[in-house]
Amino acid sequence: MPTPFALVMTTCGDKPNAELIARGLVEQRLSACVQMFPIESVYRWEGVVENAQEWMLFCKIKSNDYADVEAAIRAAHTYCNPEIVEVGIENGAQAYLDWIASATRDE
């Protein structure tokens, strides 16, 4: 049975933008935790295959907050079409899920 929690993934072009988004989401209690790590992406953009060094963010959220999380990411993001993908958390350690619930805003 799915939980009421999700992971939102987004990529940023540099560490300062990743830090801005991560800190904003946690400060607003939209995400309990945001993990950031450098990645290399290969993608097609405007008909050309590109390579880029980016920062991946994994944001742990309440599913009900997705629209506000997406809006907050868009407001701070430097990309014109940022990746913002929600993946539902099907199962998880109950103590960790309880922590996500307590670290994010009340419904």
Side-chain angles (χ1 to χ4, degrees):
M1 170 181 240
T3 71
F5 304 102
L7 174 76
V8 171
M9 299 181 303
T10 189
T11 52
C12 297
D14 58 39
K15 189 174 183 182
N17 189 225
E19 289 173 338
L20 177 71
I21 291 168
R23 182 161 293 280
L25 290 173
V26 174
E27 286 177 350
Q28 295 173 60
R29 297 180 65 98
L30 290 171
S31 181
C33 170
V34 177
Q35 295 167 312
M36 305 181 312
F37 48 96
I39 60 168
E40 183 170 351
S41 296
V42 178
Y43 56 94
R44 182 175 300 277
W45 182 250
E46 297 180 347
V48 178
V49 175
E50 304 276 352
N51 268 59
Q53 301 297 314
E54 295 184 293
W55 284 82
M56 173 65 74
L57 277 63
F58 284 174
C59 314
K60 275 66 106 206
I61 72 162
K62 288 180 181 165
S63 299
N64 289 342
D65 287 336
Y66 175 78
D68 291 336
V69 170
E70 180 179 336
I73 291 171
R74 286 186 183 284
H77 215 292
T78 59
Y79 288 176
C80 64
N81 185 22
E83 170 189 0
I84 307 172
V85 177
E86 179 186 29
V87 178
I89 296 174
E90 292 292 319
N91 291 297
Q94 191 59 55
Y96 187 79
L97 299 176
D98 292 345
W99 172 75
I100 294 174
S102 70
T104 52
R105 64 188 186 179
D106 293 330
E107 295 183 35

